[in-house]
Amino acid sequence: MPLHTLNKAPGHNAFSDCIERLAADDALVLLGDGVYAALATTAAASRLAASGATIYVLRTDALAAGVATRLMSEATVIDDAGFVALTEHWPQQMAWH
Amino acid sequence: MATTARKSVLVVTRHAHQGSALGRSALDAALVSATFELPVTLLFQGQGVLQLLPEQDCTEAGIRNLRKVIESLPLYDITPIYVDAAAAARYALQAELLPPQAQLISLDRQRQLLADHDHILGF
Amino acid sequence: MIYSLLVLAAPTSGHASLTAARFAQAVVARGHQLKRVFFLDDGALTGLAGTITPQDEASALAQWQQLGANHEVELILCISSALKRGVLDATEAERYERNTATMHPDFELGGLGLLVEAMQTSDRLITFGQ
């Protein structure tokens, strides 16, 4: 399976297209406006958690958006090196944007 | 490029024709991949299925007619083309409106396509 | 591993282009080879030479330039995307009888074939959308 990346906020088609195809053995990196999807206690965060996929949030973008201290507990914060490490592990990437 | 096995490419096109150049770029990327003899699969997903609407008349708008480009894909051996069945239903795109080489596929089959290729170009 | 990137994001729309440039730096820092960055659609605006970034903002152009200069990464602007957006090298400026080249010299114009060739020769192709 590919590594999924999402850089659009909930409400955008990219979010719904992505989450409809996310399964428990998938990994998703939230970047850009995508980080808003991991805001704790929101409907978007519940859907992400319910997918069972592993959710990563790009640190720089979470800090810039002001969500770094308000993330859903299931999300793991990664830096740029961590992002690259994920792409080493997953052979392909699907960019939702 | 001749010595190693060809990498396979899945092109996913998710944006409607109007208001975005991405649809056209996705088709160009698929065509050029085919020209370079990379095995290429094209998947229309979400709003991208709107590119398949027949009877696009782009003369007044002065833009390219994507449906015409899509109909030329079999000439480049890009066939079948895969279409997100749920999105087609959402936009009332019945099977008879689609190009003859279109295959409507489920979410599960779309997930399978994502896993089956060496590279994915998400447009 | 060998990496190549596809950048669809304009340097001016949010910070997607900066995120992509940071990712590119991290690819190199982790010991991989970054072969080529292909800029398509609005991404081709990245190579516009005359952009001025406000002092309190990071310049995407400067980040990409650094990568090209320090790590021999090929920075390719899709030629049809670039021409459409007024990003011309000297040859194209002459061909279309424009006064001056507008492309930054660290970039090159090229066809989609270079994206396809990058896919064939790279282990990873990572896309950064708008």
Side-chain angles (χ1 to χ4, degrees):
Chain A
M1 285 308 292
L3 176 69
H4 299 264
T5 60
L6 170 68
N7 74 339
K8 285 293 191 310
H12 193 283
N13 290 324
F15 175 81
S16 34
D17 285 355
C18 169
I19 198 146
E20 282 168 11
R21 289 162 185 85
L22 217 51
D25 49 355
D26 285 342
L28 169 66
V29 177
L30 300 171
L31 64 157
D33 280 356
V35 301
Y36 295 118
L39 263 175
T41 74
T42 59
S46 311
R47 287 191 70 186
L48 285 181
S51 75
T54 314
I55 310 296
Y56 298 94
V57 182
L58 197 61
R59 182 174 173 274
T60 311
D61 295 351
L63 285 169
V67 305
T69 55
R70 300 169 191 277
L71 292 172
M72 58 196 278
S73 57
E74 295 89 345
T76 306
V77 176
I78 53 169
D79 60 10
D80 295 319
F83 186 7
V84 175
L86 287 172
T87 64
E88 291 163 10
H89 176 75
W90 299 84
Q92 324 101 323
Q93 173 232 13
M94 172 62 197
W96 303 93
H97 58 91
Chain B
M1 278 175 66
T3 50
T4 43
R6 301 286 174 183
K7 299 274 178 75
S8 60
V9 184
L10 174 68
V11 177
V12 184
T13 182
R14 294 186 36 260
H15 289 78
H17 188 192
Q18 308 292 328
S20 167
L22 288 171
R24 174 73 210 187
S25 291
L27 291 176
D28 285 343
L31 287 168
V32 176
S33 299
T35 309
F36 281 76
E37 294 177 355
L38 264 61
V40 57
T41 306
L42 186 57
L43 168 61
F44 291 82
Q45 205 169 62
Q47 286 194 352
V49 303
L50 292 167
Q51 295 172 36
L52 298 166
L53 275 167
E55 295 160 24
Q56 295 175 26
D57 182 351
C58 300
T59 11
E60 278 189 37
I63 56 173
R64 289 260 177 82
N65 183 328
L66 287 193
R67 171 75 186 226
K68 273 198 178 151
V69 180
I70 291 162
E71 282 174 5
S72 76
L73 293 172
L75 298 173
Y76 302 86
D77 289 330
I78 305 176
T79 189
I81 55 171
Y82 293 101
V83 181
D84 174 355
R90 194 180 314 140
Y91 296 113
L93 269 170
Q94 294 91 352
E96 65 269 22
L97 298 178
L98 301 174
Q101 78 275 29
Q103 268 185 30
L104 291 163
I105 59 168
S106 66
L107 279 180
D108 278 347
R109 184 79 186 90
Q110 291 168 52
R111 279 178 48 79
Q112 195 56 47
L113 285 180
L114 289 175
D116 280 352
H117 292 77
D118 292 313
H119 295 299
I120 304 168
L121 294 179
F123 283 95
Chain C
M1 276 192 265
I2 303 175
Y3 276 71
S4 287
L5 308 187
L6 169 62
V7 176
L8 301 168
T12 44
S13 69
H15 54 268
S17 187
L18 288 170
T19 303
R22 283 204 326 272
F23 180 87
Q25 298 278 7
V27 164
V28 174
R30 284 182 68 86
H32 300 296
Q33 184 197 340
L34 182 57
K35 177 189 169 72
R36 182 174 296 155
V37 183
F38 193 85
F39 298 88
L40 180 61
D41 276 336
D42 284 349
L45 286 165
T46 312
L48 199 55
T51 53
I52 312 281
T53 308
Q55 277 189 348
D56 57 348
E57 290 178 26
S59 153
L61 177 62
Q63 305 288 324
W64 288 116
Q65 230 183 306
Q66 242 173 46
L67 261 161
N70 299 344
H71 305 290
E72 292 179 356
V73 179
E74 294 172 32
L75 305 173
I76 310 288
L77 307 178
C78 168
I79 185 162
S80 60
S81 305
L83 295 187
K84 233 185 206 182
R85 290 165 178 81
V87 187
L88 313 177
D89 64 6
T91 312
E92 298 302 323
E94 202 184 323
R95 187 198 314 270
Y96 292 100
E97 296 173 3
R98 301 300 155 107
N99 292 334
T100 179
T102 48
M103 189 184 80
H104 192 283
D106 288 359
F107 291 78
E108 283 172 62
L109 297 175
L112 273 170
L114 289 176
L115 171 64
V116 174
E117 197 266 346
M119 288 195 287
Q120 176 59 27
T121 52
S122 303
D123 303 301
R124 295 290 184 270
L125 188 277
I126 309 294
T127 302
F128 288 87
Q130 316 240 21

